[in-house]
Amino acid sequence: MNLRFVVVKALRAVLTLWLVVTFVFVVLRVTGDPTEQLLPDDIDPGIREYYRAAWGLDRPLWEQYLKYFQAAFHGDFGISFRNGLPAAELIWQRIPKTLELGIATFVTALAMGIPLGVFAALNRDRWLDRLTMSFAVFGFSMPNFFLGILLILLFALHLRVLPSSGYGTVGHLVMPVITLATAFAGAIARFTRSAMLEVLTRDYLRTAEAAGAGLSRRVWRHALPNAAIPIVTIVGFSLGGMIGGAVITENVFAWPGVGRLLTSAVADRDLSIVQGIVVLVAVTMVLANLAVNLAYGWLDPRVRLGARERSR
C-alpha cells in the first residue's frame, strides 16, 4: 500500500472530524443559553451574567470557537457546568464501561453474524435461508429500547435469572449485549450472505472443488476472504457506531457508560460534556471509516490503484 493512498485517506478523515466538531459547536451554541436550564428562572440577572462570563458564554461566537478548538486540540474539553469537574475526566471515567459493553457486543455480533450469513448463502432459497434472513431482518429492525424492555420482562421479571439493570457482574452484561448484538449481527449476516453469493459461483471455487478441496476449506479459505470487502465495510461501521448505538441501551439497563452520561448532559445542556462525547463518537467513526478504507486498499489492490489514477 503506497504512502500517497494512506495520506489522502488520513487527510479526508481529519477534514471530516473538523467539520463535525465545528457543526456540533455551532448548533449547541445557537440553540439556547445553558444558564436558562441550569439556573432558576427568578435568579438575579447579575448572578446569571456572572456564570455566563465564568463559562465564556458572553464572548463572541468566533472567539468561543477558537478558544474551544485550541483547548480541544490539547485534550481539554472544558469544565462541566453541572459539577465543575473537567469534562474530559468525567468522560474518561465512563469510557472503560462503554468499551466493556462495546467489545463484548462486537465479538458476539461477529460470532453470530458471519456464520449465519455463510450458512444462509450455502442454503440459498431454501427454508433454512429464509429462516436465517428472517432472524437477520428481525435483528436490525427491532428498536433497541423495545428489545431491551422485552428482555427485562422475560429474564428479570418472569424467569428471574438475570438482574434487570446496573453494573458489576457478568449477569449485568448479558441483556445489554444481546440487545446491541442482535442488531449488528443481523446487518452483518445480510451483508455476508450477499457477498458470499457473489463469489460462490466463481471459477476458482469450482477449480478448488475439482482439486478435491472440501466444502469447509472452499468456504473459509477461498470464498470468505474474497467476499471480505463488503463484510469489512459493515464490520467497520458497526465498530465505529458502537458508542453512539449504546446510548439508548445504556439508559434502558442503567449501564454507567458514556451513553448514559450523554443523555443526562443533553438534559442539563452541559455543553462541555456533550461536545466532548460527540467528539469522541466522531473520532471513533472517522477512525473506523479510515481503517475500512485502508483495509480496502490492502484487500483489493484495484481500490488503491483507482485512487492513484483519480489523483493524477
Side-chain angles (χ1 to χ4, degrees), residues 26-37:
V26 173
V27 168
L28 290 176
R29 289 304 188 283
V30 301
T31 52
D33 188 348
T35 61
E36 297 179 0
Q37 179 73 23

Side-chain angles (χ1 to χ4, degrees), residues 102-118 177 180-189 191-192 220 224 228 230-239 242:
I103 292 173
T105 298
F106 186 68
V107 172
T108 304
L110 285 182
M112 293 172 58
I114 293 179
L116 285 176
V118 172
V177 167
L180 279 174
T182 300
F184 290 123
I188 291 172
F191 271 78
T192 301
W220 299 106
L224 192 58
I231 300 174
V232 166
T233 302
I234 188 62
V235 168
F237 289 145
S238 298
L239 179 62
M242 203 67 69

Side-chain angles (χ1 to χ4, degrees), residues 29-48:
R29 289 304 188 283
V30 301
T31 52
D33 188 348
T35 61
E36 297 179 0
Q37 179 73 23
L38 295 171
L39 301 177
D41 294 336
D42 57 350
I43 197 171
D44 185 89
I47 297 178
R48 187 182 301 277

Side-chain angles (χ1 to χ4, degrees), residues 68 71-72 75-81 84-90 272-273 275:
Y68 172 76
D76 179 10
F77 295 103
I79 302 298
S80 169
F81 296 165
L85 295 175
E89 178 182 331
L90 294 173
S272 300
I273 299 291
Q275 288 171 168

